[in-house]
Amino acid sequence: MKSHTFNSVALFLTFWVIIFTPRIYPDDYITQNQKYIDVLHYDINIQLNTKLRTINADVKIKGVIKNKDLKRIDLNFYDNFNISDVYLNGEKTTYENKGTRFSILKPPTLVDTFTIRVVYSGKPVRRGFSSFVFASINGQSVVYSLNEPNYASTWFPCNDIPSDKALLDIKITNDSSQVSVSNGKLIDVKTVNNKRTYHWKTYYPIATYLISLYSSNYKEFDQTYISQNKADTMKIKYYAFPYNYKKAKVDFSINLDMLKFMSKTFGEYPFIKEKYGVAEFLWQLGAIEHQTITGIGSSLVGGDNFFNDVYIHELSHQWWGDAVSIKDWKDIWLNEGFATYNEALYDEYKAGPAALRSTMLSKAQNRFSGKLYNPHNYFSRTVYNKGAWVLHMLRREVGDSTFYSILRKYFEKYKYKNVSTNDFKVLSEKISGKNLTYFFKQWVYEGTGRIEAEYNWDVDEDGDDIYLDFQLEQIQKGYKSYNFPLDIKINYKDSSNEIKTIRINNINVEKRIKLKARPINIELDPNNWLLSVFKNNG
């Protein structure tokens, strides 16, 4: 997900999302019982009534029980719907639906596999960033969903835990004039009288918060992507509002180049047997990375490629978040920090190291509130921008080739699975051969800000030898002492320069560095690898 700042209105909206959106994931939303089941498949049949703004749905959930002592099957589902029937393994059963909890007693004869069917109707409640929306623009209906982080249950019963990924079939019925879009591959389209049903299917597992629905009078176009090994051809599908079609043709088409870059850099697009797509919708706070189908706010369709950072951010989530998914929302930086850093990597790819530095500096700030791991606000600048800086600094810590090897191995190992921060740390240590406990402690688990330091320097001559006497003191509040490599650029009278690298591993550090000549000045961290502020007290 990405909110975008591009004018005064969007600046306010971005500020609202980042500052005023709480963590909204109640402690009692997930029960212990939910961790003892594994959903294998969702079969969602949903009919949209755009005039009444209601849905009629028939959902089947197939899963297995992982604990033989389980007495009750718990799911998440809002209690405002009119439930007409509930079945367990084909037999009508009793249930309880209160708040966001949907529960069925497990019969003693039920050992492992279950299929729950729920038939219901009603109007989904609006929660979070929107959850499930009936809207209109220019007199045309627009229906869409936005489940992150825990609002899939506002429109279908589910085990709403990011670690419980499942396969999906979803059939969306709307008026025959409407195009209905969801995750995965389009299996068929059937029209009966004035109603049209689109059947979408995933062949790769999906987390509940990434299950999506878009339905409107879309105008479609596409591009063709050929896999890196030339073995697969995939359509990139685009769905634009008719009035924005020409602008969308310009903006959306950049995805082909971005997809090639991502596949070459991290590994083949993970949903190559399905599709990648972009659908325009009316959530104006930004965009959302639903698996294989990104939702893009209509205010970000300008026809001038001005919002390329949004498109690369959401596309990169197909790798970081959708294929490699978090085990717990505490690890959300593994989604958003990675996607945000990919904005900088794409800029570097297109325009070189100066563009990388410029993009990263735009994501630095005076203060990042709270810790990166288990943040109070899942959608804060800390999660997005500091998360990106952590990857940037890790890259400097381990070196370029090792860093990219880490990302490729990380993707390869955890593709279609779930991952934690510690999993990423362990893999990074294995690939780099370094103990990175201090790095993750200071930047992810405990540290809350940035490096702030004062320094002095002088030149000393001892015979023919010239030395730089360098002193540095860390003065930041929060984390007491950061451990980091510091590049010092030495500038000479003849316009030449050299970079000396020292290790800062204490609050106060003094170093004596041999030079080739007397310098005219020095620069700390000249290539902007550190989230830091250095003040010269000399």
Side-chain angles (χ1 to χ4, degrees):
M1 178 187 291
K2 182 176 176 65
S3 56
H4 193 75
T5 303
F6 60 95
N7 56 36
S8 59
V9 175
L11 176 61
F12 170 77
L13 293 175
T14 301
F15 181 80
W16 181 87
V17 171
I18 291 174
I19 303 301
F20 294 106
T21 303
R23 193 162 65 180
I24 49 178
Y25 198 74
D27 293 336
D28 62 350
Y29 183 69
I30 301 297
T31 69
Q32 189 62 37
N33 282 354
Q34 288 178 250
K35 300 175 183 179
Y36 294 146
I37 65 172
D38 178 14
V39 174
L40 303 176
H41 185 262
Y42 291 97
D43 188 345
I44 301 173
N45 288 268
I46 183 168
Q47 298 180 23
L48 307 175
N49 188 322
T50 56
K51 291 181 180 179
L52 297 178
R53 300 195 169 192
T54 60
I55 63 174
N56 290 279
D58 187 336
V59 176
K60 293 178 182 177
I61 304 166
K62 183 178 180 180
V64 295
I65 293 171
K66 299 186 290 185
N67 185 333
K68 62 182 177 60
D69 296 323
L70 190 68
K71 304 296 184 185
R72 191 183 66 216
I73 300 173
D74 286 346
L75 298 170
N76 302 108
F77 191 41
Y78 275 68
D79 64 3
N80 60 295
F81 289 104
N82 175 28
I83 298 176
S84 55
D85 288 300
V86 177
Y87 301 87
L88 176 61
N89 290 352
E91 301 289 337
K92 279 197 174 185
T93 187
T94 57
Y95 65 93
E96 182 180 16
N97 189 200
K98 185 176 182 180
T100 60
R101 187 166 303 154
F102 183 88
S103 300
I104 294 174
L105 289 178
K106 182 182 79 70
T109 54
L110 179 57
V111 179
D112 48 15
T113 303
F114 65 84
T115 298
I116 295 172
R117 180 186 175 196
V118 186
V119 183
Y120 58 95
S121 61
K123 184 175 183 178
V125 297
R126 294 281 291 273
R127 292 289 186 271
F129 290 112
S130 285
S131 56
F132 196 97
V133 178
F134 285 95
S136 63
I137 186 168
N138 296 337
Q140 292 293 329
S141 168
V142 183
V143 185
Y144 61 90
S145 65
L146 205 163
N147 298 342
E148 192 174 12
N150 60 325
Y151 297 112
S153 58
T154 62
W155 59 285
F156 69 95
C158 56
N159 196 27
D160 205 9
I161 307 174
S163 60
D164 192 3
K165 300 169 79 169
L167 297 178
L168 169 71
D169 278 87
I170 181 169
K171 302 177 184 71
I172 307 163
T173 302
N174 199 353
D175 292 341
S176 58
S177 61
Q178 307 296 286
V179 177
S180 297
V181 186
S182 189
N183 315 93
K185 186 178 182 66
L186 183 61
I187 301 303
D188 62 40
V189 180
K190 294 180 179 179
T191 302
V192 178
N193 297 325
N194 64 341
K195 297 294 182 181
R196 181 172 295 157
T197 300
Y198 285 77
H199 177 191
W200 294 87
K201 183 181 185 69
T202 72
Y203 298 92
Y204 307 94
I206 184 171
T208 47
Y209 83 92
L210 297 170
I211 295 174
S212 64
L213 178 155
Y214 304 90
S215 191
S216 191
N217 66 325
Y218 288 123
K219 192 170 182 179
E220 304 174 52
F221 64 101
D222 60 54
Q223 292 174 297
T224 300
Y225 168 74
I226 301 173
S227 65
Q228 294 293 302
N229 63 7
K230 312 298 183 184
D232 291 294
T233 299
M234 180 191 75
K235 289 295 184 183
I236 309 177
K237 300 288 294 182
Y238 300 119
Y239 305 88
F241 296 144
Y243 79 93
N244 252 354
Y245 179 73
K246 290 184 179 179
K247 293 179 180 179
K249 288 274 283 188
V250 175
D251 287 353
F252 291 5
S253 296
I254 192 67
N255 280 285
L256 179 58
D257 182 67
M258 292 175 171
L259 203 154
K260 291 177 181 178
F261 162 72
M262 297 280 290
S263 293
K264 183 177 180 180
T265 305
F266 306 118
E268 186 56 74
Y269 176 67
F271 307 107
I272 192 73
K273 301 296 184 184
E274 297 179 354
K275 71 169 184 307
Y276 181 63
V278 176
E280 193 173 0
F281 70 155
L282 295 178
W283 188 67
Q284 302 302 353
L285 300 183
I288 177 69
E289 70 280 4
H290 294 135
Q291 188 165 304
T292 73
I293 181 69
T294 285
I296 189 82
S298 59
S299 59
L300 301 180
V301 183
D304 50 14
N305 294 128
F306 187 66
F307 305 110
N308 284 352
D309 59 332
V310 178
Y311 291 90
I312 189 66
H313 183 104
E314 302 308 335
L315 175 58
S316 68
H317 273 307
Q318 302 301 314
W319 282 259
W320 319 122
D322 297 2
V324 179
S325 302
I326 54 176
K327 289 180 178 177
D328 191 280
W329 289 106
K330 295 176 182 179
D331 302 297
I332 184 62
W333 81 277
L334 295 176
N335 290 4
E336 300 301 348
F338 275 58
T340 302
Y341 191 48
N342 281 355
E343 299 171 35
L345 294 183
Y346 186 70
D347 287 343
E348 181 184 24
Y349 161 71
K350 298 298 287 186
L356 170 70
R357 294 195 295 272
S358 176
T359 301
M360 290 310 299
L361 287 174
S362 74
K363 300 181 187 304
Q365 61 188 74
N366 293 337
R367 181 174 178 270
F368 286 110
S369 60
K371 300 172 184 177
L372 191 56
Y373 177 75
N374 194 20
H376 175 70
N377 182 345
Y378 294 149
F379 308 108
S380 68
R381 290 189 181 99
T382 297
V383 171
Y384 287 66
N385 293 346
K386 186 177 180 181
W389 268 99
V390 168
L391 292 174
H392 191 58
M393 291 185 288
L394 179 64
R395 178 179 173 182
R396 173 63 183 84
E397 191 77 23
V398 302
D400 258 29
S401 61
T402 300
F403 175 73
Y404 282 105
S405 179
I406 288 171
L407 293 187
R408 291 185 71 90
K409 292 291 185 182
Y410 176 63
F411 174 62
E412 180 183 327
K413 181 174 182 178
Y414 292 104
K415 183 168 51 176
Y416 316 127
K417 300 176 184 176
N418 294 84
V419 68
S420 69
T421 297
N422 188 62
D423 292 329
F424 179 64
K425 171 183 175 292
V426 169
L427 182 67
S428 298
E429 291 178 326
K430 181 178 180 180
I431 300 297
S432 68
K434 300 184 67 171
N435 185 331
L436 296 170
T437 297
Y438 67 91
F439 181 90
F440 280 83
K441 181 179 179 182
Q442 67 193 17
W443 292 119
V444 179
Y445 290 118
E446 294 185 12
T448 58
R450 62 181 180 177
I451 300 165
E452 297 181 27
E454 296 176 344
Y455 69 97
N456 296 283
W457 65 280
D458 201 358
V459 177
D460 184 36
E461 297 188 24
D462 186 0
D464 293 334
D465 295 327
I466 300 174
Y467 295 93
L468 176 73
D469 289 328
F470 178 81
Q471 304 90 34
L472 180 142
E473 179 184 8
Q474 296 187 50
I475 60 171
Q476 68 273 342
K477 297 179 181 179
Y479 199 77
K480 187 176 181 181
S481 178
Y482 288 95
N483 183 328
F484 56 95
L486 176 62
D487 296 329
I488 304 175
K489 184 179 181 181
I490 316 295
N491 295 308
Y492 298 107
K493 284 185 178 180
D494 63 359
S495 297
S496 67
N497 62 73
E498 64 177 328
I499 290 180
K500 300 285 187 176
T501 302
I502 63 175
R503 191 83 202 181
I504 304 298
N505 53 15
N506 212 327
I507 297 176
N508 293 286
V509 172
E510 295 185 4
K511 295 286 184 180
R512 189 172 174 86
I513 305 169
K514 190 174 182 179
L515 305 179
K516 65 180 183 180
R518 176 176 285 273
I520 56 173
N521 59 52
I522 68 172
E523 301 173 51
L524 302 193
D525 189 31
N527 294 316
N528 307 115
W529 285 109
L530 299 170
L531 185 58
S532 61
V533 173
F534 297 108
K535 180 181 178 182
N536 186 353
N537 282 341

